[in-house]
Amino acid sequence: MPLDAKTIHWERAAIEKLLLAEVRERRAARRWRMFKSLVWMLLFGALVWALASDRLPSSAASAPHTALVSIRGEIADKGEASAEYVLPALRSALEDPGAQALVLLINSPGGSPVQAGLINDEIRRLRAKHGKPIYAVVEETCASAAYYIAAAADRIYVDKASIVGSIGVLMDGFGFVDTLHKLGVERRLLTAGANKGFLDPFSPQSDEHKKHAQVMLDQIHQQFISAVKQGRGERLKATPDTFSGLFWTGEQAIGLGLADGLGSLDSVARDVVKAEKLVDYTNKENIVERFAKRFGAAVGQGAVSALRAAPALR
């Protein structure tokens, strides 16, 4: 049946509306894709900027200033007070021609003797290389591995109520042998190697293992003592308690030769270094690294669970 002009016009208008709607929808989808791409690019740029900015000093370092590197919290591998984070900061600070001296701002209960030893060695090397003074300023606590680090400084300044010392080494754990027996639980430990179950908390501790652990502790303790004696020199007034693991107030530490005087970050920069301007070179874990670590831990958890039942070298 032939179509009249009105019907043809209506169909044409309907087709045009459909085509225009399709065009608008495609344009909207294209704009949305472009918007999402722009957002992702901005986010990526912000993350890159955050990663780079945390590796730079907090202000321009051309003028004379006091360089600052903070050592806070537990001294442990991969932490912000580890050699991985601290050593690059030390090098950057001392290589800057505007840095008149370096201040280590310490507030730490201690941690790994390995990390502390690495930092102590590098402080002494850099001090000899650059000829710039390095001072340690203690806030609340400078104990154990933290004092291991501080001992490498030219001088140590404390607050009168700071906690200083704890020059000793420990290895702690728990024993659950009797607990398992009372609960009727049998410990099944298979090893290849007579001492592979060394210090297993569910097995009785043998005299041989205890002696072996004590030898290791004594050796690390002597390394700690040597570093303190080398760093403090004739200023150290050693007593039978100095290397026993005891700790003292800042005021007592000065009398024992473990510290040189009272002082804060500002007073040392102003009165000792004679450069009040502070530039912070401390490396800090930023949001990118934190996310990467958490993501890596989440991915690795499944693999760890799968391998849990398999023999391992640990």
Side-chain angles (χ1 to χ4, degrees), residues 248-304:
W248 297 270
T249 66
E251 191 172 5
Q252 291 172 316
I254 295 172
L256 293 168
L258 295 172
D260 297 286
L262 300 177
S264 65
L265 174 62
D266 290 335
S267 70
V268 169
R270 180 183 64 247
D271 302 328
V272 180
V273 183
K274 308 296 184 182
E276 291 190 58
K277 180 180 179 181
L278 292 166
V279 176
D280 191 353
Y281 292 81
T282 307
N283 281 330
K284 298 178 181 178
E285 185 180 45
N286 56 45
I287 189 172
V288 179
E289 293 168 328
R290 194 176 299 117
F291 173 78
K293 286 183 179 180
R294 290 182 180 179
F295 178 75
V299 172
Q301 187 174 6
V304 171

Side-chain angles (χ1 to χ4, degrees), residues 70-97:
S70 294
I71 299 175
R72 298 181 179 275
E74 183 184 6
I75 299 167
D77 182 37
K78 302 300 181 184
E80 289 188 6
S82 66
E84 177 185 358
Y85 279 79
V86 174
L87 298 191
L90 298 178
R91 296 178 191 125
S92 297
L94 292 172
E95 287 169 1
D96 194 311

Side-chain angles (χ1 to χ4, degrees), residues 42-65:
L42 290 173
L43 286 174
F44 178 76
L47 291 175
V48 170
W49 177 84
L51 182 63
S53 63
D54 276 1
R55 290 290 180 254
L56 297 174
S58 57
S59 62
S62 56
H65 62 274

Side-chain angles (χ1 to χ4, degrees), residues 5-301:
K6 185 181 291 186
T7 302
I8 293 173
H9 177 74
W10 179 84
E11 289 179 345
R12 183 179 297 167
I15 291 172
E16 288 178 352
K17 287 182 180 179
L18 289 173
L19 291 174
L20 288 173
E22 176 69 17
V23 170
R24 285 194 295 269
E25 186 176 346
R26 290 186 178 182
R27 286 178 178 174
R30 186 167 60 251
R31 285 195 295 269
W32 176 243
R33 287 195 300 270
M34 292 174 64
F35 175 74
K36 288 196 296 184
S37 299
L38 180 60
V39 169
W40 279 111
M41 288 176 64
L42 290 173
L43 286 174
F44 178 76
L47 291 175
V48 170
W49 177 84
L51 182 63
S53 63
D54 276 1
R55 290 290 180 254
L56 297 174
S58 57
S59 62
S62 56
H65 62 274
T66 297
L68 166 65
V69 174
S70 294
I71 299 175
R72 298 181 179 275
E74 183 184 6
I75 299 167
D77 182 37
K78 302 300 181 184
E80 289 188 6
S82 66
E84 177 185 358
Y85 279 79
V86 174
L87 298 191
L90 298 178
R91 296 178 191 125
S92 297
L94 292 172
E95 287 169 1
D96 194 311
Q100 306 302 296
L102 169 62
V103 171
L104 304 172
L105 185 61
I106 300 176
N107 185 11
S108 169
S112 165
V114 174
Q115 298 298 313
L118 291 171
I119 297 172
N120 179 289
D121 291 344
E122 186 66 0
I123 289 172
R124 290 189 289 107
R125 186 188 74 84
L126 291 172
R127 186 175 58 186
K129 177 180 178 180
H130 296 283
K132 295 181 180 181
I134 299 176
Y135 305 118
V137 173
V138 178
E139 293 186 321
E140 281 84 1
T141 307
C142 180
S144 196
Y147 190 79
Y148 198 152
I149 294 172
D154 290 285
R155 276 180 270 173
I156 300 174
Y157 294 94
V158 297
D159 182 86
K160 58 183 177 296
S162 298
I163 299 301
V164 181
S166 190
I167 303 172
V169 185
L170 63 82
M171 178 185 294
D172 60 350
F174 297 92
F176 299 98
V177 180
D178 293 338
T179 302
L180 292 180
H181 180 72
K182 291 177 181 178
L183 293 175
V185 178
E186 179 187 1
R187 168 67 164 164
R188 295 176 179 175
L189 176 64
L190 304 178
T191 66
N195 296 301
K196 190 58 181 176
F198 179 55
L199 296 182
D200 174 58
F202 301 102
S203 301
Q205 186 181 51
S206 69
D207 291 338
E208 290 77 11
H209 287 175
K210 186 176 180 180
K211 289 178 182 178
H212 183 76
Q214 191 61 54
V215 169
M216 292 192 300
L217 292 174
D218 290 341
Q219 189 175 58
I220 297 172
H221 191 204
Q222 286 302 316
Q223 294 167 0
F224 192 172
I225 293 171
S226 296
V228 172
K229 288 183 175 179
Q230 182 178 7
R232 300 303 298 165
E234 295 181 356
R235 293 170 292 179
L236 184 65
K237 301 176 179 64
T239 72
D241 291 330
T242 300
F243 305 118
S244 69
L246 284 178
F247 47 82
W248 297 270
T249 66
E251 191 172 5
Q252 291 172 316
I254 295 172
L256 293 168
L258 295 172
D260 297 286
L262 300 177
S264 65
L265 174 62
D266 290 335
S267 70
V268 169
R270 180 183 64 247
D271 302 328
V272 180
V273 183
K274 308 296 184 182
E276 291 190 58
K277 180 180 179 181
L278 292 166
V279 176
D280 191 353
Y281 292 81
T282 307
N283 281 330
K284 298 178 181 178
E285 185 180 45
N286 56 45
I287 189 172
V288 179
E289 293 168 328
R290 194 176 299 117
F291 173 78
K293 286 183 179 180
R294 290 182 180 179
F295 178 75
V299 172
Q301 187 174 6

